[in-house]
Amino acid sequence: MKAVLMDGFGGVEVMKIGEIAKPAAGEGQVLLKVHATTVNRPDLVQRMGNYPPPPGDSTILGLEVAGTIEALGSGVTGWNVGDRVMSLVGGGAYAEYAVAYANHLMSIPASMSFEEAACVCESYITAFLNLFILGGLKDNNTVIIHGGGGGVNMAGVQLCKALVPHTKIIVTAAPEKLQRVKGMGVDLVINFRETPDFTETVKEFTGKKGVDVILDHVGAKYLSPNMNSLGYGGRLVIIGVISGIKAELNLALMMVKRQQIIGSVLRSRPVKDKGDIVAEFTRTALPRFADRTIVPIIEKVFSLEEVVAAHQMMEDDRHFGKIVLKVV
């Protein structure tokens, strides 16, 4: 089969289109004919050699797929060859065929294209897990979601608007993305280049109350302003550390304000845990995609052969929403 292969680790130049054996579905798995996948930030980190796939998963890049079931592995029930599905995968999506666990599959609503469906699993499930399941976000809360214009940020904003419509949403974004973020209906957009310490801005917006939940992929640089922006009983969920892994923490303030810091990674979770998360997402959020309340925002659709240009677009931060790779 055709796939994106890598000649070692490094820049975009290590990726090339090549031929590799088609994978086979094991017990509890299905073989998918991939119609579309997406470029996610972890793909770039893996390409650089810093984010290996979990043991047993494909070393080919790609964390989410949309396509049709080609074959069923042993023990799989409830699915049929030809079904339109989307799924999380531990790796292997940048290819004509990929293997997924049956309990990670979701049916693609008839109203969605394969390109739209390819955007759902990694970004939206990540946002759903960390904002709602771990972060405990409720309606009428206030939330900060860092990284305006990125896939997880935009997924989080859309999920909040659909599932907790009375929640106040604060987003940090680069100056060139401020207007488009505002256009999504958020309540406050902060230019992170002009205001790297957003504490006072958040305090003013919330009447010194602080926020209930923060979803952060920045890490060390934002630890202090994040904690200072949390209200009593607030939860900081960290899903990335692009600014570093070490920072000083005021434990006394954290204790007095009964704050929580939650670390979270989706990819390395056990198969059953991910299946449980997918099931809750299917029950709670997927109907909002089916009725088009939530429509994934796509910056551009590339062919698989244009993978270098797709990665370069993400590296240069020239996207607003998802970058799709069309395979079929």
Side-chain angles (χ1 to χ4, degrees), residues 187-208:
D187 298 280
L188 175 65
V189 186
I190 299 172
N191 182 335
F192 66 72
R193 290 189 185 142
E194 288 186 353
T195 314
D197 185 345
F198 42 85
T199 304
E200 293 304 317
T201 303
V202 171
K203 284 183 178 180
E204 180 179 352
F205 179 79
T206 61
K208 298 185 178 180

Side-chain angles (χ1 to χ4, degrees), residues 57-319:
D57 282 320
S58 174
T59 58
I60 294 172
L61 298 176
L63 300 175
E64 57 188 341
V65 301
T68 54
I69 295 179
E70 185 81 2
L72 305 176
S74 61
V76 174
T77 59
W79 299 100
N80 298 296
V81 171
D83 285 349
R84 286 176 15 115
V85 296
M86 49 189 168
S87 183
L88 286 168
V89 291
Y94 288 20
E96 290 183 297
Y97 295 91
V99 168
Y101 284 97
N103 66 336
H104 297 171
L105 301 178
M106 294 185 289
S107 293
I108 299 176
S111 59
M112 293 186 74
S113 67
F114 284 115
E115 290 79 11
E116 289 173 333
C119 301
V120 171
C121 290
E122 177 65 17
S123 293
Y124 286 90
I125 291 179
T126 294
F128 180 78
L129 164 66
N130 294 295
L131 286 173
F132 296 96
I133 297 178
L134 298 180
L137 186 66
K138 307 294 184 186
D139 214 358
N140 296 302
N141 281 175
T142 303
V143 61
I144 298 175
I145 311 176
H146 291 300
V152 173
N153 173 278
M154 299 180 69
V157 170
Q158 289 182 303
L159 287 167
C160 287
K161 300 291 285 185
L163 302 179
V164 285
H166 299 105
T167 287
K168 297 291 186 182
I169 306 169
I170 303 170
V171 170
T172 58
E176 61 270 18
K177 298 183 180 182
L178 295 178
Q179 292 304 315
R180 293 187 70 178
V181 172
K182 289 178 182 177
M184 296 183 69
V186 305
D187 298 280
L188 175 65
V189 186
I190 299 172
N191 182 335
F192 66 72
R193 290 189 185 142
E194 288 186 353
T195 314
D197 185 345
F198 42 85
T199 304
E200 293 304 317
T201 303
V202 171
K203 284 183 178 180
E204 180 179 352
F205 179 79
T206 61
K208 298 185 178 180
K209 180 182 177 182
V211 304
D212 300 283
V213 178
I214 299 176
L215 182 59
D216 176 56
H217 69 286
V218 178
K221 180 180 177 181
Y222 275 9
L223 181 61
S224 179
N226 277 337
M227 297 303 288
N228 289 334
S229 297
L230 280 180
Y232 283 86
R235 285 85 62 197
L236 167 62
V237 186
I238 300 175
I239 61 171
V241 288
I242 61 173
S243 71
I245 62 173
K246 294 183 179 181
E248 191 171 286
L249 175 64
N250 185 334
L251 293 173
L253 180 64
M254 178 181 173
M255 293 163 61
V256 169
K257 296 181 73 173
R258 306 184 303 279
Q259 296 168 334
Q260 299 176 52
I261 300 175
I262 303 166
S264 177
V265 175
L266 179 60
R267 186 183 193 182
S268 59
R269 286 174 175 266
V271 171
K272 182 184 181 304
D273 286 3
K274 284 194 277 190
D276 292 341
I277 295 164
V278 169
E280 181 62 20
F281 181 88
T282 301
R283 183 186 70 81
T284 304
L286 192 58
R288 309 318 298 253
F289 292 87
D291 67 13
R292 308 295 282 178
T293 299
I294 299 176
V295 178
I297 298 172
I298 297 174
E299 171 65 35
K300 188 170 181 179
V301 178
F302 292 90
S303 69
L304 193 65
E305 288 77 8
E306 295 174 306
V307 65
V308 168
H311 269 233
Q312 195 65 62
M313 173 177 278
M314 177 162 281
E315 283 198 350
D316 295 343
D317 199 24
R318 291 183 284 111
H319 65 295

